[in-house]
Amino acid sequence: MIIAGGGLDDGRGYARLAARLKSTNRVVRLTRRGYRTDVARWRPVEVKDETADVVALARAVGRPCYVFGHSAGGVEALEAALAAPECFDAIAVFEPAVDAAELPLGDPSSIVAARRALDERRPGRALEIFLGDMVGVPPPAAKLARLLALAPRFRSQLIPGQIGDLEALERLGDRLAAYRGIGQHVLLVGGTRSPDHFGGRIELLHRVLPSSDIRWMDGAGHTGPVRKAGDLAALLLADIATHVSV
């Protein structure tokens, strides 16, 4: 099983999820390019490049292979299934950050403003813009999150990675029509406490994917894979048992 994580994380946040899965699976957590310490090598990070990393890892570990992606990592899981369908038996995504014409990720001016704040060495402000305008976090909480920029890892690595994620997803654009070509079963998971637009993206995917199910995690927000790892692991293990032949 490959885990492609979401934003503001270099893979460490998924350790609890991996621990809940590894008794019956070999679990590999991918450190995505945009969150590596040598991130300068990869700028600008593109979705197709990180997708190629998922595919390369799948080819290295072999079949059967199940890929789980969260947020931006969910987009990479979907793209990997398109790029190399022979590598994956089934897929699961938690609130993938798919950009859609009818449901854009955010106002383009906000994305530009977040990049400008980073360039002006105001990572806290960049994070506030991202959380408030794109994720849908209430303004007081988005403002409070600026304190994360006081931590060196967030200031120099994770927040720039997150804004890079957002820009890469915007460049990728609306891929819903392409996802009609995904032949594997896709488990779509969302949290009942997440901003509404994440549920909207799941519904859009459910309409176009040839084979998919939706599951909702009670009390979970967009950070559900980190904060409610046990609940998510139970869903993933059941899906693996149903859709992956060993």
Side-chain angles (χ1 to χ4, degrees), residues 62-237:
R63 299 277 299 273
C65 184
Y66 185 90
V67 59
F68 166 73
H70 174 209
S71 196
V75 174
E76 287 162 16
L78 295 168
E79 291 289 325
L82 277 179
E86 72 281 2
C87 290
F88 305 99
D89 294 80
I91 307 157
V93 292
F94 188 98
E95 297 181 356
V98 291
D99 195 6
E102 61 188 278
L103 193 57
L105 287 172
D107 188 323
S109 64
S110 294
I111 299 174
V112 171
R115 171 53 62 185
R116 183 183 304 116
L118 269 186
D119 292 343
E120 294 171 353
R121 299 189 178 183
R122 296 189 295 151
R125 174 57 180 155
L127 181 60
E128 180 186 7
I129 294 169
F130 165 73
L131 292 175
D133 294 2
M134 272 66 82
V135 178
V137 171
K143 186 174 288 292
L144 184 62
R146 296 174 67 156
L147 294 174
L148 289 172
L150 296 175
R153 188 165 67 100
F154 277 85
R155 183 171 61 249
S156 64
Q157 184 180 354
L158 300 187
I159 295 175
Q162 177 62 85
I163 304 308
D165 254 358
L166 183 62
E167 293 169 327
L169 290 167
E170 185 188 42
R171 288 192 294 270
L172 182 68
D174 187 335
R175 295 275 289 161
L176 285 175
Y179 296 153
R180 295 182 188 276
I182 294 177
Q184 298 93 333
H185 182 78
V186 182
L187 177 65
L188 302 165
V189 187
T192 59
R193 296 186 62 186
S194 292
D196 290 344
H197 70 90
F198 286 115
R201 297 179 204 285
I202 287 174
E203 295 289 352
L204 287 174
L205 280 169
H206 187 51
R207 287 180 215 161
V208 303
L209 290 168
S211 176
S212 65
D213 293 318
I214 299 177
R215 297 288 183 271
W216 300 104
M217 284 172 48
D218 275 343
H222 191 55
T223 58
V226 175
R227 296 182 179 273
K228 287 187 169 285
D231 293 349
L232 177 58
L235 291 177
L236 298 182
L237 289 171

Side-chain angles (χ1 to χ4, degrees), residues 2-12 14 29-39 42 45-47 49-51 53-54 57 68-77 97 157-158 161-162 164-166 168-169:
I2 297 171
I3 297 176
L8 291 175
D9 196 286
D10 56 6
R12 302 183 205 183
Y14 300 87
R29 283 179 285 150
L30 176 67
T31 301
R32 292 173 48 215
R33 292 188 186 202
Y35 297 94
R36 288 176 51 165
T37 54
D38 58 348
V39 65
W42 309 110
V45 175
E46 300 292 351
V47 173
D49 297 322
E50 292 196 317
T51 296
D53 293 340
V54 175
L57 189 53
F68 166 73
H70 174 209
S71 196
V75 174
E76 287 162 16
Q157 184 180 354
L158 300 187
Q162 177 62 85
D165 254 358
L166 183 62
L169 290 167

